[in-house]
Amino acid sequence: MRTVVSALELGRPRGLRDALKMLRDEGPLTPLAGCTDLYVLLNAGTLTERRFVDLWPLDELRGMAERDGFLWLGALTTYREIIASPLVARRLPMLAAAARTVGAAQVQNRGTLGGNIGNGSPAGDTLPVFAAADAHVVLASLDGERRVPFTAFYTGYRTSVRRSDELIAAVEVPEVDGRQWYRKVGTRAAQAISKVVMAAVRAPTPRVALGSVAPTVVRVPHTEALLARAAPIEEAQRALLDEIHPIDDLRSTAAYRRRVAANLLARFWTDTA
Ligand SMILES: Cc1cc2nc3c(=O)[nH]c(=O)nc-3n(C[C@H](O)[C@H](O)[C@H](O)COP(=O)(O)OP(=O)(O)OC[C@H]3O[C@@H](n4cnc5c(N)ncnc54)[C@H](O)[C@@H]3O)c2cc1C
């Protein structure tokens, strides 16, 4: 049964500082951005949180820019904005490719990067991009900002190092040197959650990240090392299968995911040769 909306509380901050103060002094509060993930839970009656803070008015968390050599992406950046951005097309085309595969127009207009990261689903489409790009997450609190490497952000299935008084303010992506590659495999080409998703960079030491094959998004360092020393792709594929831990669930089977992940690795390698 749908969660009763009148039992929910929504705080409307006047700005970022106000939001951070609410999180610290009035918590626990759940951040609410585009609400595309939270609304699914509300509709299914599985939303356990009752008190929220609305991030949508916080313009400080909007926008995309080049800052000190990094591509700065505000947490409230939507998929639509990413798809339309010449800056993202130039610096991080694999993120634009990921954004194009997310949901359909409604979700692309409303869903945000901060929400994708905050939700922490291992199937989140942007997560392998940030893992492969060696990005870091900017966390803001009243104490200031701290930067966490994206690959150290998640501590387990849907858990992260974010404290309850912190917000994801932005993602910062360094210059990516090398050809970028992205592929999502789902039940169909659009409106599908991934069965396996891979983002990779053909750098001198290639970087490969996968989603939907473990409790969190994963990098595969042994596979990357084999690719770096031009080992046969079959050897790299065997290493990859040792480094991922997919499960059977309602979207796919572990066996299928393993086979697809190995195929995607070979495809990445030939496509970027
Ligand atoms: C029909 C449909 C299709 C979808 N298709 C896809 C898809 O193809 N690929 C995909 O990856 N996802 C998909 N999603 C999931 C969802 O749209 C994305 O995860 C989206 O990016 C969530 O962003 P949001 O702003 O709506 O998050 P919200 O629902 O507002 O929040 C999601 C979670 O993140 C937390 N959060 C949000 N912002 C912050 C912040 N700044 N700091 C800290 N925590 C924060 C919230 O507390 C909550 O736990 C789909 C959802 C729907 C309903």
Side-chain angles (χ1 to χ4, degrees):
M1 205 174 66
R2 202 167 183 269
T3 307
V4 181
V5 178
S6 56
L8 307 180
E9 225 180 88
L10 180 65
R12 299 298 302 275
R14 287 181 301 274
L16 178 58
R17 200 176 158 73
D18 197 24
L20 296 174
K21 200 163 180 312
M22 288 166 75
L23 283 171
R24 189 192 65 182
D25 299 341
E26 300 168 35
L29 294 169
T30 301
L32 183 154
C35 208
T36 59
D37 273 314
L38 288 170
Y39 196 83
V40 172
L41 303 179
L42 184 137
N43 221 24
T46 54
L47 187 68
T48 50
E49 295 88 351
R50 289 290 175 268
R51 301 174 64 237
F52 300 86
V53 56
D54 185 6
L55 308 186
W56 203 253
L58 305 183
D59 286 339
E60 298 97 319
L61 304 186
R62 289 208 155 77
M64 294 166 270
E66 285 179 308
R67 288 188 186 172
D68 301 327
F70 286 91
L71 172 63
W72 184 92
L73 301 163
L76 286 179
T77 305
T78 64
Y79 299 106
R80 174 57 46 204
E81 289 164 341
I82 289 163
I83 292 166
S85 164
L87 181 59
V88 173
R90 177 164 57 80
R91 290 205 42 160
L92 200 60
M94 61 181 167
L95 181 62
R100 280 193 287 271
T101 73
V102 172
Q106 299 92 327
V107 170
Q108 290 176 358
N109 282 333
R110 186 78 191 175
T112 66
L113 285 184
N116 207 225
I117 297 167
N119 189 47
S121 161
D125 282 332
T126 67
L127 311 189
V129 171
F130 295 128
D134 282 337
H136 51 248
V137 180
V138 183
L139 291 168
S141 73
L142 283 182
D143 301 332
E145 285 186 348
R146 65 180 177 121
R147 285 163 171 74
V148 179
F150 195 82
T151 49
F153 182 71
Y154 295 108
T155 51
Y157 179 69
R158 293 190 173 216
T159 56
S160 76
V161 299
R162 182 181 77 83
R163 301 192 313 257
S164 58
D165 67 332
E166 288 178 316
L167 285 175
I168 299 165
V171 189
E172 287 178 342
V173 186
E175 191 79 53
V176 177
D177 184 18
R179 196 155 162 212
Q180 303 176 28
W181 190 90
Y182 181 86
R183 185 63 61 86
K184 166 178 171 176
V185 176
T187 308
R188 52 194 178 188
Q191 283 279 41
I193 304 290
S194 75
K195 293 172 188 281
V196 179
V197 53
M198 182 187 285
V201 180
R202 182 88 180 225
T205 300
R207 304 204 292 265
V208 179
L210 296 102
S212 291
V213 297
T216 64
V217 61
V218 288
R219 281 278 293 271
V220 284
H222 298 305
T223 307
E224 293 174 2
L226 286 167
L227 293 175
R229 59 179 167 84
I233 190 67
E234 295 76 14
E235 202 183 326
Q237 285 175 307
R238 281 194 295 277
L240 178 81
L241 294 179
D242 283 341
E243 292 189 280
I244 61 174
H245 306 283
I247 55 167
D248 293 337
D249 65 15
L250 80 166
R251 283 198 293 276
S252 192
T253 63
Y256 180 80
R257 287 179 158 124
R258 292 170 70 79
R259 187 161 179 181
V260 169
N263 288 347
L264 288 181
L265 187 73
R267 188 65 179 268
F268 155 58
W269 209 236
T270 50
D271 280 357
T272 56

